[in-house]
Amino acid sequence: MKWEYIQPVTIRFGEGIVKEVKDVAASMGCKRGILVSDPFFLTNGLADKIVKDSDGTLVCVYGEVSPNPEVKEVDACAKLIRENDIEFVVALGGGSALDCAKASATMCFREGESVRTYHGTGVPMPQKHLPLIAVPTTAGTGSEVTCVAVLSDHELGKKGPIVSNGFYPSIAMIDPELTYTLPPRITASTGIDVLCHALEGFWSKGHQPVCDALALHACEIVFKYLRRAYKDPQDKEARAKMAEASVIAGLAFTLPKTTSSHACSFPLTNLYHIPHGEACGLTLDCFARINAEVENGRVHEFARKLGFADTYALADAIHELKVDLGLRLDLKDFNLTDEQVAELVKTSHHPNMLNNPVEITDEILNEMYQSMR
Ligand code: NAD
């Protein structure tokens, strides 16, 4: 088995470290920055506070990022960066703000071009990019340490990742206090995303020992602390542990890549607007059962290390976790027609599906979606 582990992002973790953004930017020698965020942080005052604390270093704000950010938002943000001679980018928010910022930090060098050129087209993303400080506010995507930016293109009806080594942030600043304002529903959805990253990174065809160890650590934390963070948003220990699990799971999947649950999540979000993490979690226990027997039982062994009898017991535990978190267990409320099921089957064959250790056929997908109707 051949493998390589690289991780170019400096990670700083701790309660209150968001205050250090200015010093971190200064240490990078950057003087003119942009803050990229979503409307929640413009309304709750945190974006303003970060700009004020920056003593003039952050000279403008792009605050229009929507959940599952659109290619047009990237183009608009890249334009603002160009117009203001920006030298570095600070991304504040969930995966959506971080991903929009990552893509914009590259696209700002491509005047006259849209990010659409690189979205699901196979055209490699140019590498030149501005330095990025990523400040996550959800405990979910791990985007602060990944080389991935997931974008949506509503006109062309697609959602999917762009992968580029230029997307690695320079610095990830993880401040668990920023997650205290997450309502239980978003805590649940983003938290189950952490479990998907860890498990999919583990069973991915691209798995490797370093990421395996990270995946196990992240899964242990999710089973122990996610229910607590969901029940009590102010549970500081649970919030800190989930923030830790999120970044560790990001490291666990960014090299092996995600697999079947993420592939299915793209059309589930795009067509039925199911929030990202919830869409990934919807199929996670199904794929755990499908992948249970691969590679001499390595998924069973992983499940046993987590304290379960085998992968089937792990799948049951994922189901129970979703029940306790009030997450979606099926697609009944959409009253899917046969045509809609067929469309889901077809559009779930995103390239990430090819990373799954078991070949996922139309028949398997059809059976899974039929059982959820
Ligand atoms: P998000 O960024 O879409 O945010 C969801 C909602 O939560 C928004 O309304 C936002 O305003 C709100 N929110 C965020 N932080 C908050 C806080 N602290 N308090 C209150 N509200 C808050 O959610 P997400 O799940 O973090 O990101 C999802 C996106 O990330 C999807 O597009 C997904 O495909 C992508 N993603 C990217 C990667 C990657 O490696 N780049 C990995 C997984 C998922």
Side-chain angles (χ1 to χ4, degrees), residues 38 68 94-96 99 137-138 143 146 148 159 178 181 186 190 276:
D38 75 40
N68 311 298
S96 296
D99 288 0
T137 63
T138 58
S143 176
T146 74
V148 180
K159 176 178 178 183
L178 300 183
T181 49
I186 304 181
T190 50
H276 172 74

Side-chain angles (χ1 to χ4, degrees), residues 70 116 119 152-160 266-267 270-271 343 347:
E70 253 278 319
R116 274 190 163 140
H119 187 228
S152 295
D153 187 333
H154 295 140
E155 263 172 47
L156 299 182
K158 62 181 179 184
K159 176 178 178 183
F266 299 134
N270 208 26
L271 299 170
E343 184 186 28
T347 49

Side-chain angles (χ1 to χ4, degrees), residues 164-182:
S164 166
N165 282 339
F167 286 169
Y168 280 116
S170 303
I171 302 192
M173 298 187 68
I174 301 143
D175 184 340
E177 285 182 2
L178 300 183
T179 64
Y180 295 174
T181 49
L182 284 169

Side-chain angles (χ1 to χ4, degrees), residues 155-344:
E155 263 172 47
L156 299 182
K158 62 181 179 184
K159 176 178 178 183
I162 304 178
V163 178
S164 166
N165 282 339
F167 286 169
Y168 280 116
S170 303
I171 302 192
M173 298 187 68
I174 301 143
D175 184 340
E177 285 182 2
L178 300 183
T179 64
Y180 295 174
T181 49
L182 284 169
R185 202 160 167 70
I186 304 181
T187 300
S189 172
T190 50
I192 204 84
D193 197 19
V194 176
L195 195 61
C196 295
H197 292 152
L199 270 171
E200 291 181 66
F202 177 80
W203 67 45
S204 169
K205 282 181 188 167
H207 68 82
Q208 50 142 295
V210 176
C211 296
D212 290 357
L214 296 166
L216 185 66
H217 182 78
C219 283
E220 278 169 350
I221 293 178
V222 172
F223 280 113
K224 196 162 167 196
Y225 290 99
L226 178 53
R227 283 181 179 87
R228 273 175 55 178
Y230 172 74
K231 281 194 193 124
D232 177 7
Q234 300 302 315
D235 183 333
K236 293 182 181 172
E237 188 191 1
R239 288 299 199 189
K241 292 308 281 183
M242 281 306 299
E244 176 185 324
S246 176
V247 65
I248 301 274
L251 296 169
F253 88 83
T254 189
L255 297 177
K257 306 285 175 253
T258 54
T259 64
S260 38
S261 288
H262 269 71
C264 292
S265 83
F266 299 134
L268 287 167
T269 297
N270 208 26
L271 299 170
Y272 299 103
H273 311 292
I274 302 173
H276 172 74
E278 187 167 21
C280 293
L282 179 67
T283 61
L284 188 66
D285 40 339
C286 297
F287 285 115
R289 291 177 207 283
I290 289 167
N291 293 334
E293 307 298 336
V294 297
E295 293 188 50
N296 300 318
R298 71 183 285 278
V299 187
H300 285 313
E301 198 186 320
F302 187 84
R304 280 193 283 273
K305 284 184 185 157
L306 283 171
F308 301 106
D310 57 19
T311 312
Y312 303 105
L314 167 63
D316 291 344
I318 295 169
H319 181 85
E320 278 165 34
L321 182 62
K322 290 194 291 185
V323 171
D324 292 350
L325 299 175
L327 287 168
R328 174 179 289 281
L329 304 170
D330 57 46
L331 296 168
K332 288 191 193 341
D333 50 334
F334 294 110
N335 297 316
L336 296 178
T337 62
D338 289 345
E339 289 72 28
Q340 286 172 314
V341 171
E343 184 186 28
L344 269 178

Side-chain angles (χ1 to χ4, degrees), residues 57-124:
T57 311
L58 290 171
V59 296
C60 63
V61 176
Y62 179 78
E64 309 293 317
V65 183
S66 57
N68 311 298
E70 253 278 319
V71 284
K72 285 182 184 161
E73 292 163 23
V74 172
D75 292 341
C77 182
K79 183 165 176 274
L80 194 63
I81 292 175
R82 270 194 302 275
E83 288 169 353
N84 287 278
D85 294 324
I86 293 299
E87 295 172 347
F88 74 103
V89 179
V90 177
L92 171 79
S96 296
L98 270 49
D99 288 0
C100 180
K102 284 167 156 182
S104 305
T106 295
M107 288 310 296
C108 61
F109 291 107
R110 310 293 297 179
E111 191 163 7
E113 197 172 63
S114 166
V115 72
R116 274 190 163 140
T117 310
Y118 308 101
H119 187 228
T121 57
V123 180

